[in-house]
Amino acid sequence: MKRLKRIAAALLSVLTAVLLLPVQAYAAGSIELNRDMSLTVSYVDGKTYLSGAQFDIYLVATVDECGELTTTETFSLFNVDIRGKNDEAWNKVASTLEGYILRDKIAPTDSAKTDAQGLAVFPSAQERLTPGLYLVKGQRHKQDGTIYEAATFMVMVPGIDMEANAWIYDVTVNAKFISYPAPTASLDTSTRKVLKVWKDSGHEQSRPKEVVVQLIRDSEIVDTVTLNAANNWRYTWENLPGGHKWTVVEKEQKGYTVTVTQEGITFVVTNTYGGSGSPSGGGGSGKPPLIQTGQLWWPVPVLLAGGLLLIVLGLIRRRNIGDEK
């Protein structure tokens, strides 16, 4: 009986170890960090290649061989949770970090312009890319009487091929964009709004009495406003000059992570309570795991663990039957 207990204890230890394995590394193997990698941004409007458009990339977090992310020193200053769970979450991360990039005039990690086939290839100015999570930001581009505004997005290098269950070291992505005719006359004025949303149920006592929000035109701070209960945590800017890219950023709040999304002409600034100190994913000490959209490999370690558990139960049952005989 003691021997059986030792076997059961050993199997349970193995089960525990399997459950603690990084799921991503288990699925596709370790990342070859010293391998050359590339990122190609494809910029095409139907059958029209958008050439001469500039894209800048920013290394937000490095990745280790097990797929864990560590925020870089520059981006660890901001209370932004970089753990995207799906495309919508990644888009929120990108739009939020873009505001801080513009406000603080953060220099890109690398820059490249699209060629005649609408392709911007990285590394461009550097010898090699550092494995990690990148923010990709396109500059406004004019071609054939049309203005193109590329959507800012996040991308992992290397990526992962779910069907082949393997890391992709040469990543290609298609840039999304909005387009509109280039203006030929004076532009109309614009209106922008900001709305503060709190996600801190049960921790309202930790909420600051006011927050400071800055309005950015292209890459310059043009106004600073204070939001509080007196103005219902909202503000409206009117008669803004047209033809510019507008965004907002919030000055950092301790204990809260922040996301900034745009809904029409309204910027929604959401603060989520994360306890005291640096929020998970926002500080350099945190190591959020790499999460790939659509990752289907999570059942593998779970099923393996379940199999080991059944073996333990089977051994115990067999021993009990033997004792009864």
Side-chain angles (χ1 to χ4, degrees), residues 48-97:
T48 301
Y49 298 118
L50 304 179
S51 59
Q54 180 169 323
F55 283 86
D56 301 317
I57 62 173
Y58 301 81
L59 180 61
V60 174
T62 58
V63 66
D64 66 14
E65 65 276 3
C66 294
E68 289 188 334
L69 297 173
T70 300
T71 315
T72 59
E73 182 178 358
T74 298
F75 288 94
S76 67
L77 302 175
F78 313 122
N79 293 343
V80 179
D81 190 341
I82 64 171
R83 296 174 297 180
K85 301 175 181 62
N86 49 45
D87 289 342
E88 181 182 358
W90 283 122
N91 290 338
K92 289 181 179 179
V93 172
S95 63
T96 304
L97 290 178

Side-chain angles (χ1 to χ4, degrees), residues 12-58:
L12 287 173
S13 297
V14 173
L15 184 151
T16 302
V18 169
L19 289 176
L20 292 176
L21 283 174
V23 175
Q24 194 72 321
Y26 184 89
S30 298
I31 298 174
E32 299 176 42
L33 298 178
N34 294 324
R35 183 167 172 173
D36 287 340
M37 307 178 191
S38 69
L39 171 63
T40 300
V41 179
S42 177
Y43 207 22
V44 181
D45 181 10
K47 296 182 179 180
T48 301
Y49 298 118
L50 304 179
S51 59
Q54 180 169 323
F55 283 86
D56 301 317
I57 62 173
Y58 301 81

Side-chain angles (χ1 to χ4, degrees), residues 96-207:
T96 304
L97 290 178
E98 181 184 16
Y100 291 114
I101 288 171
L102 294 172
R103 185 194 70 178
D104 296 350
K105 295 180 170 55
I106 298 173
T109 304
D110 201 355
S111 300
K113 290 188 176 182
T114 54
D115 59 18
Q117 283 71 48
L119 301 177
V121 182
F122 302 92
S124 175
Q126 294 186 326
E127 292 185 3
R128 66 187 306 270
L129 285 183
T130 299
L133 176 66
Y134 286 86
L135 180 144
V136 182
K137 182 178 181 301
Q139 296 190 11
R140 179 177 295 163
H141 177 65
K142 181 179 179 180
Q143 183 170 322
D144 300 330
T146 300
I147 300 294
Y148 293 89
E149 301 271 8
T152 301
F153 61 94
M154 311 298 296
V155 62
M156 276 296 308
V157 181
I160 191 168
D161 184 337
M162 249 95 71
E163 293 184 1
N165 185 26
W167 294 106
I168 304 172
Y169 293 90
D170 296 308
V171 178
T172 299
V173 291
N174 298 315
K176 297 180 181 180
F177 59 86
I178 61 172
S179 61
Y180 51 89
T184 57
S186 60
L187 296 169
D188 295 332
T189 58
S190 300
T191 298
R192 292 293 184 271
K193 300 180 179 181
V194 63
L195 171 65
K196 160 62 62 184
V197 174
W198 296 98
K199 290 187 177 180
D200 57 358
S201 179
H203 300 278
E204 291 85 354
Q205 71 280 0
S206 299
R207 185 183 301 177

Side-chain angles (χ1 to χ4, degrees), residues 79 200 206 252-257 271-279:
N79 293 343
D200 57 358
S206 299
E252 294 78 356
Q253 301 292 328
K254 291 183 179 180
Y256 286 84
T257 58
N271 281 119
T272 302
Y273 182 76
S276 60
S278 298

